[in-house]
C-alpha cells in the first residue's frame, strides 16, 4: 500500500480486505470476547479446544491437527491478548481498487474465518486476480492442504517469471 512500485505480485490467502476493519462495529467486541475468554478461563489448552473446530476443515490429517494444536498450546496469554487487540484496532490501509499487480487469492472451502465467498468478493474487487479455493480446507489451508497451497503458489509465481514492474 505504501510502496506499490516495490511489489511485483500479491498472494492474499485466507484474509480480509485491507480496506475494511477486521470486523464492523460491535463484532470487534464479540470477536475479542470469543477469542480471549477461553484463554483467560482455561489457558492455551482451553483456547485450542475452542478454536480448532472453527479453524479447520474436515480433511485435516491427524499430523496437521497435532501441529496446529501444539502451536496454540505454545501461545503466551499476554502476547496473544495484545495481538488480538491490535488486530481489531488497525485502521484500514489498502484500497483494493489501487492494486496494479496480479494477485493470487487463496481460500479454503470450509473456512469460517475468511469464508470462500469473501475470498471470491476480494478477487472480484482486484483486476486480474486469479483465485483458487482449496476443497475441504479451513482457515489454515497452507497447513491443511500444503500440496494445494504450494502448487497454486508455484504455478502463479512461475507464470510471473521474467516479468518486471510496468
Amino acid at each position: 500500500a505504501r510502496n506499490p512500485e516495490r511489489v511485483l505480485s500479491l498472494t492474499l490467502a485466507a484474509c480480509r480486505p485491507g480496506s475494511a476493519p477486521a470486523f464492523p462495529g460491535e463484532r470487534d467486541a464479540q470477536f475479542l470476547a470469543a477469542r480471549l475468554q477461553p484463554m483467560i478461563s482455561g489457558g492455551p489448552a482451553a483456547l485450542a479446544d475452542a478454536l480448532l473446530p472453527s479453524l479447520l476443515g474436515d480433511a485435516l490429517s491427524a499430523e496437521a491437527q497435532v501441529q496446529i494444536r501444539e502451536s496454540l498450546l505454545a501461545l503466551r496469554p499476554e502476547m496473544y491478548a495484545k495481538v488480538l487487540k491490535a488486530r481489531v484496532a488497525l485502521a484500514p490501509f489498502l484500497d483494493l481498487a489501487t492494486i496494479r499487480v496480479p494477485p493470487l487469492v487463496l481460500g479454503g472451502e470450509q473456512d469460517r474465518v475468511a469464508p470462500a465467498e469473501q475470498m471470491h468478493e476480494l478477487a472480484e474487487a482486484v483486476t486480474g486476480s486469479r483465485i483458487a479455493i482449496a476443497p475441504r480446507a479451513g482457515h489454515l489451508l497452507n497447513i491443511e492442504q500444503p500440496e494445494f497451497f504450494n502448487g497454486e503458489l508455484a504455478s502463479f509465481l512461475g507464470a510471473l517469471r521474467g516479468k518486471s514492474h510496468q
Side-chain angles (χ1 to χ4, degrees), residues 21-33:
F23 296 103
E26 193 58 32
R27 287 200 55 217
D28 275 351
Q30 293 168 354
F31 170 79
L32 284 174

Side-chain angles (χ1 to χ4, degrees), residues 1 4 94-101 125-126:
L94 179 63
D95 179 359
L96 297 177
T98 65
I99 295 175
R100 299 288 180 254
V101 296
V126 183

